[in-house]
């Protein structure tokens, strides 16, 4: 396949990028002791992008023969021609050094070395553990998912890379009920790697204990009135803030579409304690879900410093936006499937750890909140306004973490929140690996960071 | 093409049973799409794709396995995968396929002239969206948008005798805009439209509404905090009320113990002003089709009548588990197991116009869009009111920003005061404005 792609794109004429992708997926789910899903999928195909006369065209096919590839290429060139007249700004691509080679998955324990029966047994066991944990648990759910990918990217400029990928994830949900009310406890883990790396990130039994604890704790928790408050955010919420509320506003296509970060390069957008990055490299313990050695335009991964000590330094680029801004591509062009065209996506987005011991972050907070975990719900706009559900919220009184409150959301302008950061913890963890980012097409990404202390608005109830 | 696809489904069923399956079902989907996207207020990319997908369900006794592929040459391997998964999976007595049922083809889903809709036409429609937005106001920036033309054939067969196929055409568009004025940036607004017929394509209403909502949210002032009345737009009704309601009436969630309405059939779950129907048989309906994901013909269903819960949504599995007739709401693609989902869901319009709802509101807010969190299990919701207007003494008192609304869906359904006469189509949903009391409103 590598030779076929290389041979065809080399002589096609004009700029061409051809990408073969084969994916195998497995999804196992059990709920309340009933096995709901035992399913697998396999897809393979080729996506071709052509640049002609300043316009791009894209076509995909499942015909993997030379004829099928040539037809897809001709279709992409025809679509580029159809678009040319209507474009206000011709597309140009920033130069990228051709890359060649194979990039394997970093794992000591491949997923396909573990039989289906072992994975089913894990899911069934965890589901049973949740249900047996407490009579207050009224519903349970466990989902194991894995995707194993092979991608080959070839461009007319000489890039030919083969990238192998493997991403397992586990999700444990407990629902506690009492007096007609029900509350959810959700715990997830996801990695780039194999079976051992998934278990090493967080042991499955720990997910069960935490999910059950969170669900039950909410039964007795009161609502809070909300309002502006001093808070300590855990790495999960820091990662969510980095990805959802900041990260999307620095994707160059969103910037050019009118995001609040336009014309803000070189300006202060955060406290000087904040350095915020995106990287497809295996940094900080490795195995983050957004690892991407070479992107789908054939650009090698790097570490992009988006905010350096509070100053906005860069956007995330593909080759088109890099040419527009006259900068180097950052390796963020990603396509989910062969049938998707590469667009600008984050990889692993995080705040660098600081120097404050985590325990010290709570000191001096007379009346505030300790907020833990993204509740997998919320939204953020390109003006950096956001609203996220919080999995667990605790009152902080006179520097001590106290009782839980429920139904808490956080909202505000993400850059205002980052400007208010007055302490950054010395810890770090990746936390968002089980989720999927949606931007027209899905993407597996990760995010994380240290604990931070800041001020933001809590949504509660008028009590 | 329909017949050939259906024949492949039958072949797949035969293969699976020869390999040892007790029963088998093959669902196939042949989709051909051309689209043109907008980014950065410019035409971005024209694209085309063609994909045939096959999803195979096999039963070994009461054990179920599923596997899918996008390559017909793998159909045998996928039958083998599904069989291996079934053999490894624990059993469930309600794993079963539906029996065949006579169905009448729903009219108006296939445009014979769609073949004349070329990539050039697709690009022209996307350009029209940009042109219309630009003509409304120079402050508008179209951050994202697309126009797509889809031709799809679905076929499904099972070893009990279900055999159905259908072709449809679909033209859809969406637009996401912001307004910029100096350093001020409005909220994003998203609107969309869809039709089965090329002659019915009209991008103007969605573009116009998105632009006006974005412009209205420029120059907002701070709101006020109180507990009181909120008028939800159809878009906000979808997110705040309809999405959690659909979670609660999904029979799978009832079986999972996640619905608090498991014993509420026939009893009030909302105020008398709320009635909701679902009907996948509406001629030319956006979400219509002649049969569901399991090959069973759709039917009309009353979900909520004058506030009383009338039915849950079922597929073959859940109807077996409940021991009641199937409501024919199996949903999903060839790449996944059949789920449960609505078709054309509609809120029955009320008598009062939106202006009359506003005139009846002494103190409240009108919410254009809801950006927040709704927990469908507990019913708690909290989020930012976008494109919001403060209502005072029966009048709009100006746009407000930084306003959170919070409450509980179950309480809100019972506190519905009115449903508007006007409705808006949002993909398969036809929804009205809904006026609700007792919502917590917090200005930040």
């Amino acid at each position: 396949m590598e030779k076929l792609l290389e041979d065809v794109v080399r002589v096609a004429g004009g700029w061409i990028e051809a990408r073969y992708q084969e994916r195998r997926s497995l999804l196992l789910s059990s709920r309340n002791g009933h096995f709901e899903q035992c399913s697998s999928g396999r897809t393979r195909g080729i996506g071709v992008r052509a640049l002609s006369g300043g316009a791009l065209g894209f076509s995909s096919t499942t015909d993997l023969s030379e004829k099928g590839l040539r037809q897809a290429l001709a279709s992409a060139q025809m679509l580029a021609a159809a678009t040319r007249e209507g474009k206000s700004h011709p597309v140009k691509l920033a130069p990228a050094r051709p890359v060649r080679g194979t990039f394997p998955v970093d794992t000591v324990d491949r997923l396909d070395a573990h039989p289906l029966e072992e994975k089913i047994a894990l899911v069934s066991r965890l589901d049973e553990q949740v249900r047996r944990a407490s009579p207050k648990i009224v519903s349970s759910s466990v989902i194991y998912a894995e995707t194993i990918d092979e991608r080959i990217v070839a461009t007319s400029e000489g890039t030919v890379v083969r990238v192998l990928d493997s991403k397992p994830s586990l999700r444990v949900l407990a629902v506690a009920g009492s007096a007609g009310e029900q509350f959810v406890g959700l715990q997830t883990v996801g990695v780039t790697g194999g079976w051992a790396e998934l278990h090493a990130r967080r042991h499955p039994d720990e997910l069960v204990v935490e999910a059950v604890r969170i669900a039950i704790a909410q039964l007795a928790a009161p609502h809070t009135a909300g309002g502006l408050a001093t808070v300590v955010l855990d790495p999960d919420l820091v990662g969510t803030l980095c990805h959802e509320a900041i990260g999307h506003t620095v994707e160059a296509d969103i910037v050019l579409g009118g995001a609040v970060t336009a014309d803000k390069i070189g300006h202060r957008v955060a406290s000087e304690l904040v350095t915020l990055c995106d990287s497809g490299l295996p940094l900080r313990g490795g195995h983050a879900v957004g690892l991407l050695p070479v992107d789908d335009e054939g650009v090698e991964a790097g570490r992009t410093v988006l905010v350096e000590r509070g100053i906005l330094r860069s956007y995330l680029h593909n080759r088109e936006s890099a040419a527009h801004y006259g900068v180097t591509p950052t390796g963020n062009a990603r396509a989910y499937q062969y049938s998707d065209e590469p667009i600008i996506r984050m990889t692993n987005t995080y705040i660098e750890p600081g120097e404050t011991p985590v325990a010290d972050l709570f000191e001096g907070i007379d009346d505030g909140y300790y907020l833990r975990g993204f509740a997998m719900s919320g939204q953020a706009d390109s003006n950096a306004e956001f609203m996220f559900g919080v999995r667990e919220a605790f009152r902080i009184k006179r520097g001590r973490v106290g009782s839980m409150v429920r139904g808490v959301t956080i909202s505000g302008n993400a850059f205002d929140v980052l400007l208010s950061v007055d302490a950054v913890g010395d810890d770090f963890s990746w936390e968002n690996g089980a989720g999927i980012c949606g931007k027209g097409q899905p993407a597996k990404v990760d995010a994380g960071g240290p604990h931070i202390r800041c001020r933001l608005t809590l949504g509660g109830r008028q009590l | 093409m329909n017949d050939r696809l259906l024949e492949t489904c039958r072949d797949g069923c035969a293969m699976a049973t020869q390999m040892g399956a007790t029963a088998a079902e093959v669902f196939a989907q042949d989709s051909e799409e051309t689209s043109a996207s907008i980014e950065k207020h410019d035409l971005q990319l024209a694209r085309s794709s063609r994909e045939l997908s096959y999803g195979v369900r096999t039963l070994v006794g009461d054990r179920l396995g599923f596997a899918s592929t996008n390559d017909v040459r793998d159909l045998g391997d996928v039958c083998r995968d599904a069989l291996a998964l079934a053999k490894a999976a624990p059993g469930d007595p309600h794993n079963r396929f539906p029996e065949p049922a006579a169905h009448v083809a729903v009219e108006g889903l296939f445009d014979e002239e769609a073949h004349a809709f070329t990539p050039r036409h697709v690009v022209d429609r996307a350009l029209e969206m940009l042109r219309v937005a630009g003509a409304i106001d120079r402050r508008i920036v179209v951050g994202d948008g697309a126009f797509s033309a889809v031709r799809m054939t679905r076929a499904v067969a099972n070893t009990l005798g279900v055999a159905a196929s259908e072709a449809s055409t679909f033209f859809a568009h969406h637009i996401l805009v912001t307004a910029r004025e100096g350093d001020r940036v409005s909220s994003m607004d998203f609107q969309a439209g869809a039709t089965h017929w090329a002659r019915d394509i009209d991008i103007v209403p969605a573009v116009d509404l998105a632009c006006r909502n974005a412009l209205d949210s420029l120059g907002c002032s701070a709101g006020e905090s109180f507990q009181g009345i909120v008028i939800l737009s159809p878009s906000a009704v979808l997110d705040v009320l309809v999405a959690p309601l659909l979670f609660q009436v999904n029979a799978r969630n009832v079986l999972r113990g996640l619905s608090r309405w498991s014993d509420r059939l026939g009893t009030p779950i909302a105020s008398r002003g709320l009635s909701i129907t679902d009907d996948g048989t509406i001629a030319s309906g956006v979400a219509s089709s002649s049969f569901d994901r399991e090959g069973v013909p759709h039917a009309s269903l009353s979900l909520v009548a004058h506030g009383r819960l009338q039915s849950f949504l079922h597929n073959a599995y859940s109807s077996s588990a409940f021991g009641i007739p199937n409501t024919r709401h199996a949903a999903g693609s060839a790449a996944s197991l059949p789920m449960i989902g609505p078709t054309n869901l509609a809120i029955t319009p009320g008598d009062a116009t939106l202006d009359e709802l506003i005139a009846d509101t002494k103190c409240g807010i009108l919410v254009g869009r809801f950006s927040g969190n709704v927990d469908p299990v507990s019913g708690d919701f909290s989020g930012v009111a976008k494109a919001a207007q403060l209502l005072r003494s029966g009048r709009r008192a100006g746009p407000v920003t930084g306003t959170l609304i919070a409450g509980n869906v179950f309480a809100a359904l019972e506190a519905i005061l009115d449903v508007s006469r006007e409705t808006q189509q949002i993909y398969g949903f036809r929804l009205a404005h809904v006026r609700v009391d007792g919502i917590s409103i917090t200005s930040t």
Side-chain angles (χ1 to χ4, degrees), chain A residues 173-247:
Chain A
L173 181 134
V175 181
S178 174
E181 291 190 309
Q182 294 191 344
F183 296 96
V184 168
L186 176 66
Q187 292 286 286
T188 63
V189 60
V191 296
T192 296
W195 191 251
E197 290 79 19
L198 180 73
H199 283 63
R201 173 64 58 81
R202 284 189 78 190
H203 194 279
D205 292 348
E206 181 197 333
L207 300 180
V208 171
V209 170
E210 278 295 281
V212 168
R213 182 188 64 74
I214 293 166
I216 291 174
Q218 292 174 89
L219 289 172
H223 283 281
T224 189
L228 190 63
T230 299
V231 301
V232 175
L233 302 182
D234 81 338
D236 190 343
L237 282 169
V238 168
T240 303
L241 198 69
C242 288
H243 175 92
E244 294 290 352
I246 303 288

Side-chain angles (χ1 to χ4, degrees), chain B residues 252-275:
Chain B
R252 252 343 244 257
N253 290 331
V254 179
L255 291 169
R256 289 164 176 162
L258 297 175
S259 173
R260 67 165 57 189
W261 292 342
S262 58
D263 58 353
R264 298 291 298 277
L265 281 177
T267 69
I269 51 96
S271 82
R272 282 189 54 77
L274 186 71
S275 294

Side-chain angles (χ1 to χ4, degrees), chain A residues 240-255:
Chain A
T240 303
L241 198 69
C242 288
H243 175 92
E244 294 290 352
I246 303 288
H248 284 300
T249 73
V250 294
E251 292 170 331
D253 53 342
I254 305 287
V255 176

Side-chain angles (χ1 to χ4, degrees), chain A residues 334-406:
Chain A
R334 303 180 62 186
Y336 187 63
Q337 291 262 38
Y338 72 91
S339 52
D340 294 315
E341 72 278 14
I343 59 174
I344 299 174
R345 308 303 297 262
M346 283 169 266
T347 57
N348 305 305
T349 316
Y350 60 99
I351 286 178
E352 292 279 11
E355 296 174 350
T356 307
V358 174
D360 294 353
L361 293 174
F362 301 90
E363 284 181 9
I365 301 178
D366 192 46
D367 185 8
Y369 294 87
Y370 178 31
L371 307 178
R372 295 178 51 177
F374 174 46
M376 296 286 182
S377 59
Q379 256 179 302
D381 278 3
S382 62
N383 61 3
E385 286 181 3
F386 68 92
M387 204 297 306
F388 302 136
V390 174
R391 194 186 298 147
E392 286 184 283
F394 302 89
R395 294 303 299 257
I396 302 172
K397 291 283 189 186
R398 292 179 290 284
R400 298 178 70 91
V401 177
S403 58
M404 185 189 225
V405 291
R406 70 169 154 103

